[in-house]
């Protein structure tokens, strides 16, 4: 018969062993979960000239060749470092389809070398494609930087010609060049639609909408923001964009802040050549809207316009900017002397 003290010692020893094992299992599970959550995102390198989809491993020394291969190997949170020209009309590139181009349904950073050395295009020549370059899916966070996106084409109403996004999109140091839509209500080169947003910085929209041959050069030329809040456009140039209604920026039931931007030589035949704020909320500060072709530089179509001051606007329709107030200069500027 065991004495009470002996029973107590055996029980205590047994309990400590059980507790130790349980604690070890819990800690092991926690550690595995920690490793999974803290797993580093991958850097994937793609070079359209020197890469190889068969022998490459996506490293900087042995990159993949095609965007499709790099995208296929990527997971949410990864960065694709992209060098060269990625042409959807090339036999090497697959994954893109008519109208929508390449659909990006992952949260990624698409990082080019520079706008002159990293180029995405829907065809090798402008105005010949039957698709845009990218469609960005809702629920994803996507950054596009240091590249040129060109030669996309929309050929029907409400279709964007370069990028259509419902994602949370950031664009940095990107040139959007010679994308067109020849349908009467064709959307802009870049269209942002609810629930998507855009943060645009240090970029250029150049000559979108100018090459079409039909009597309807799209509804909006450069950038269209629809039913979306929290958008910012900063340090960006809109030059020589054209559409039947809104030449450069159409802010449609959206909330957008435009700061330190230049709008020059844009054309909107019916509505605004530079900015048409249609029942949205638009904050404009320290920007230049000049040398329009067609309708007024700034057109207020309802909603709210907030004057942040220090703007140069040559022509206005329906908005309350006053020459000399808040540092604004309003009216024709014969000696503006914008640098080429």
């Amino acid at each position: 018969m065991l004495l009470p003290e002996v029973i107590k010692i055996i029980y205590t020893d047994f309990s400590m062993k059980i507790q130790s094992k349980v604690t070890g299992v819990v800690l092991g599970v926690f550690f595995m979960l920690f490793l999974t959550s803290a797993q580093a995102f991958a850097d994937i390198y793609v070079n359209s000239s020197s890469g190889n989809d068969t022998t490459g491993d996506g490293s900087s020394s042995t990159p993949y060749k095609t965007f499709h291969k790099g995208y296929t190997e990527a997971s949410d949170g990864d960065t694709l470092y992209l060098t060269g020209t990625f042409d959807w009309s090339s036999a090497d590139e697959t994954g893109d389809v008519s109208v929508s181009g390449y659909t990006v349904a992952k949260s990624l950073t698409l990082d080019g070398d520079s706008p002159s050395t990293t180029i995405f295009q829907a065809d090798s020549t402008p105005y010949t494609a039957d698709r845009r370059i990218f469609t960005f899916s809702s629920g994803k966070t996507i950054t596009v930087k240091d590249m040129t996106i060109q030669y996309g084409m929309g050929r029907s109403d409400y279709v964007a010609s370069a990028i259509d996004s419902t994602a949370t999109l950031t664009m940095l140091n990107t040139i959007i060049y010679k994308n067109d839509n020849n349908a009467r209500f064709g959307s802009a080169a870049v269209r942002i639609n609810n629930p998507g947003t855009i943060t645009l910085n240090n970029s250029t929209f150049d000559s979108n909408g100018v090459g079409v041959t039909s009597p309807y050069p799209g509804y909006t030329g450069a950038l269209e923001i629809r039913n979306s809040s929290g958008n910012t456009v900063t340090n960006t140039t809109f030059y020589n964009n054209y559409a039947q209604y809104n030449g450069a920026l159409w802010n449609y039931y959206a909330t957008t802040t435009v700061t330190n931007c230049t709008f020059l030589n844009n054309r909107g035949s019916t509505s605004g050549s530079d900015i048409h704020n249609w029942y949205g909320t638009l904050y404009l500060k320290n920007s230049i809207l000049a040398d329009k072709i067609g309708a007024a530089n700034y057109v207020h179509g309802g909603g709210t316009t907030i004057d942040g001051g220090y703007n140069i606007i040559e022509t206005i329709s329906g908005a309350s900017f006053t020459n000399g107030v808040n540092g604004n200069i309003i009216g024709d500027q014969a000696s503006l002397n914008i640098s080429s």
Side-chain angles (χ1 to χ4, degrees), residues 144 149 163 169-174 176 198-201 203:
V144 174
I149 296 175
I163 294 173
L169 175 61
T170 299
M171 295 182 68
L172 308 170
N173 194 33
T174 298
I176 309 295
I198 188 168
T199 300
L200 178 66
N201 196 0
S203 296

Side-chain angles (χ1 to χ4, degrees), residues 240-258:
N240 197 40
N241 301 285
Y242 173 42
Q244 177 70 18
Y245 294 90
N246 315 298
L249 169 61
W250 189 29
N251 192 59
Y252 178 81
Y253 289 94
T255 302
T256 303
T257 297
V258 177

